[in-house]
């Protein structure tokens, strides 16, 4: 049975889709059969990130309309043979949490990890869907607004009984840590109130790769961070790859 991981954040643009892509890629490279489900209805992006924009035949819209089964709409990603995606439709499509839960249920036995990109914006569907996950990864950047929104979001999950949460701090740079905005990583962790699972540096090499749809280069610091988080998801102890002091 697969482990379902929901990737979410309070504020938009924190890096949810990038984290889904990075974790999906490294989990797949580590040999795990992985599926990313993109719930960003009308704002698809994983096809561009993985360089398969012209090769996506079906998407979640076809599954919701009953034209295709979820498994038939899954596309395999050439840059990592264990990696698969189920893209969001390009148009806004009505969906409810039960439908997404049913889609996850129907493909669960084929994948070790199912990663859900909850998309931009928060609505009650997101909470209902995230409730089905085994683990919620809350993404925050060091931006104070983002930290506060991540904290509010996480509190709401706790209030609903979702105790299995971990924090990913994204877009960390040497310049911001120790600046007048943020003194250290602990300050972010304390403010969000969620146990840390990883820190991802602000890495222009990754921005270029995801923008061009090419594999993240092996010397990318962000890739090293994703590799470490993927191993931690499997229970391995791996030290933080980002040095902030
Ligand atoms: N660690 C990073 N280093 C450099 N650039 C990053 C990093 N993480 C994300 N980005 C860039 O930040 C931008 C926003 O990232 P992304 O689209 O993944 O955010 P999102 O949370 O999915 O946004 P939305 O809420 O709109 O769905 C993108 O241009 C992406 O390339
Ligand atoms: Mg996104």
């Amino acid at each position: 049975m697969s482990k379902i991981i929901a990737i979410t954040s309070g504020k938009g643009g924190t890096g949810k889709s990038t984290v889904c892509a990075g974790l999906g890629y490294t989990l797949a490279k580590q040999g795990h059969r992985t599926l990313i489900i993109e719930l960003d209805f009308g704002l698809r992006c994983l096809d561009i990130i993985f360089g398969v924009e012209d090769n996506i035949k079906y998407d979640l819209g076809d599954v919701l309309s009953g034209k295709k089964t979820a498994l038939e709409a899954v596309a395999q990603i050439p840059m990592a043979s264990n990696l698969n995606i189920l893209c969001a439709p390009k148009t806004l499509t009505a969906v409810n949490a039960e439908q997404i839960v049913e889609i996850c249920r129907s493909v669960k036995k084929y994948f070790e990890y199912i990663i859900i990109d909850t998309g931009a914006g928060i609505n009650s569907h997101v909470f209902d869907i995230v409730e089905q996950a085994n683990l919620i990864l809350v993404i925050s950047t060091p931006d104070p607004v983002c930290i506060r929104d991540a904290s509010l979001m996480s509190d709401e999950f706790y209030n609903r009984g979702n105790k299995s949460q971990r924090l990913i701090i994204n877009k960390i740079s040497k310049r911001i840590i120790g600046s007048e905005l943020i003194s250290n990583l602990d300050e972010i962790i304390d403010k969000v109130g969620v146990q840390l699972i990883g820190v991802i540096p602000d890495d222009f090499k990754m921005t270029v790769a995801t923008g061009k749809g090419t594999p993240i280069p092996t010397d990318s610091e962000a890739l090293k961070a994703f590799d470490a988080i993927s191993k931690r998801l499997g229970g391995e102890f791996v030290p933080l790859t980002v040095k902030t002091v």
Side-chain angles (χ1 to χ4, degrees), residues 75-89:
Q76 197 270 320
I77 299 299
M79 66 171 80
S81 57
N82 283 314
L83 183 57
N84 303 273
I85 61 174
L86 184 44
C87 281

Side-chain angles (χ1 to χ4, degrees), residues 12-18 40 119-120 170-171 200-203 206-207 210:
T14 54
K16 293 177 296 294
S17 302
T18 306
D40 222 345
N170 188 26
K171 301 192 191 180
I200 301 160
D202 197 314
D203 182 358
M206 181 173 66
T207 315
T210 54

Side-chain angles (χ1 to χ4, degrees), residues 26-27 74 117 137:
T26 48
L27 282 167
V74 164
D117 182 352
L137 296 182

Side-chain angles (χ1 to χ4, degrees), residues 109-184:
K109 60 175 180 280
Y110 302 103
F111 303 98
E112 288 167 74
Y113 287 94
I114 295 179
I115 300 175
I116 299 179
D117 182 352
T118 59
I122 294 306
N123 54 47
S124 60
H125 287 155
V126 170
F127 285 105
D128 293 342
I129 291 160
V130 167
E131 242 150 57
Q132 309 300 321
N134 305 102
L135 176 67
I136 300 168
L137 296 182
V138 178
I139 315 296
S140 182
T141 69
D143 165 23
V145 175
C146 198
I147 293 171
R148 202 263 315 271
D149 290 354
S151 166
L152 291 173
M153 185 83 180
S154 162
D155 287 349
E156 185 60 32
F157 291 138
Y158 280 126
N159 290 340
R160 287 166 174 255
N162 291 118
K163 295 194 173 56
S164 201
Q165 302 181 41
R166 289 291 180 274
L167 171 66
I168 291 182
I169 306 176
N170 188 26
K171 301 192 191 180
I172 280 287
S173 65
K174 287 211 172 82
R175 204 171 66 164
I176 191 126
I177 299 298
S179 73
E180 54 192 323
L181 269 185
I182 297 291
S183 51
N184 54 43

